[in-house]
Amino acid sequence: MQHSPSVALVTGGARGIGAALAEQVVARGGQVVVADLDERAGLALVERLRGGARFVRCDVTDEGQVAAAVDTAAALGPVDAVFANAGVVGVTGRIEDTTLADFRRTTDLLLASVFLTVKHAVRVMRPRGRGAIVCTASVASVRGGLGPHAYTAAKHAVKGLVESVAVEVAPYGLRINAVAPGGTVSSLSAGLMGDVDDLATPYRRLAAASSSGVPTTAADVADAALFLADAARVNGACLVVDGGDDVLASKGRSYYG
């Protein structure tokens, strides 16, 4: 990475990949707005970052709150990068057991939130003619069997949205890309294994499942996202970050019971 965004916004920034992104932006001399519903974790992160970060409580399915988070970042200066990172695993289980309400709730959190974040990022970036957007997709964006049904559908759609928006915004000097993590040591995987604060368990399990014996970490994914934010001639891409384990081996299928 040649330089850091001077002002960035990270949704879902209080923990996991989002927190790693915020930490790296500040470490490179930038300012970051951390947008999340988890106020306790978000404020603790901001305190650790010692003045380089601000926290905004944000429900990423609410357009007014997303717009306000983007405007908070814009008030700090020109927004160079927006990371649409918020997400959950959502509803799991067999297709015939999945309710429409649960499906919609999951896709709102995983897809509608990205649409809203991208929409308002473009709103503030287009007049300046410069800016990078990076959306957190998933290996489930490129292959089935690596996540639950609603999650996989939404993450495929995130990849499609990135490719479509890239065509629109390229003439205006903007770029949008996706980073697609596989199994990652983060609060999300820790929560699936029982304790959102226990990163040792997902580290151990993912390391054992990895062909290299080394698991992908939140910092690894943040490195890739920051590369995409800085890569001036990369637009509309989806960069898989999984050590070759998930997409190549296609070993998922545990979500259907």
Side-chain angles (χ1 to χ4, degrees):
M1 173 124 183
Q2 296 176 359
H3 61 272
S4 172
S6 58
V7 177
L9 168 71
V10 183
T11 67
R15 292 178 178 269
I17 293 167
L21 275 164
E23 289 165 355
Q24 292 194 32
V25 168
V26 172
R28 290 165 169 83
Q31 298 182 80
V32 64
V33 172
V34 174
D36 205 299
L37 277 177
D38 190 338
E39 190 166 354
R40 181 181 67 83
L43 291 174
L45 174 63
V46 166
E47 185 175 353
R48 290 200 308 275
L49 296 181
R50 299 180 179 275
R54 296 189 183 188
F55 175 75
V56 175
R57 191 178 187 279
C58 180
D59 176 352
V60 290
T61 67
D62 183 302
E63 182 164 9
Q65 293 186 41
V66 173
V70 172
D71 290 341
T72 298
L76 299 177
V79 179
D80 294 302
V82 168
F83 298 94
N85 172 74
V88 294
V89 173
V91 62
T92 63
R94 296 177 182 273
I95 191 70
E96 66 266 33
D97 298 326
T98 302
T99 68
L100 180 58
D102 284 342
F103 184 88
R104 284 177 169 162
R105 189 174 300 111
T106 299
T107 54
D108 275 354
L109 284 164
L110 291 172
L111 175 59
S113 68
V114 174
F115 157 71
L116 291 173
T117 304
V118 170
K119 172 182 176 178
H120 288 282
V122 171
R123 171 176 61 83
V124 299
M125 288 175 172
R126 194 192 297 263
R128 183 186 178 206
R130 178 180 174 183
I133 302 165
V134 181
C135 303
T136 302
S138 167
V139 290
S141 297
V142 296
R143 179 156 304 174
L146 297 176
H149 298 307
Y151 182 92
T152 299
K155 291 298 189 177
H156 268 70
V158 167
K159 180 175 178 287
L161 180 66
V162 165
E163 292 173 352
S164 183
V165 173
V167 175
E168 176 192 340
V169 302
Y172 302 100
L174 311 186
R175 295 181 301 105
I176 179 170
N177 293 287
V179 62
T184 302
V185 180
S186 70
S187 55
L188 186 65
S189 59
L192 288 172
M193 296 177 191
D195 183 350
V196 71
D197 293 314
D198 173 21
L199 297 182
T201 297
Y203 189 97
R204 184 174 63 254
R205 292 186 184 179
L206 291 170
S210 171
S211 58
S212 65
V214 178
T216 301
T217 67
D220 294 327
V221 180
D223 282 340
L226 286 162
F227 161 76
L228 290 171
D230 192 54
R233 299 302 299 163
V234 180
N235 196 24
C238 181
L239 177 60
V240 172
V241 184
D242 74 339
D245 290 322
D246 299 287
V247 167
L248 294 182
S250 191
K251 11 179 225 200
R253 308 187 188 282
S254 61
Y255 290 94
Y256 312 133

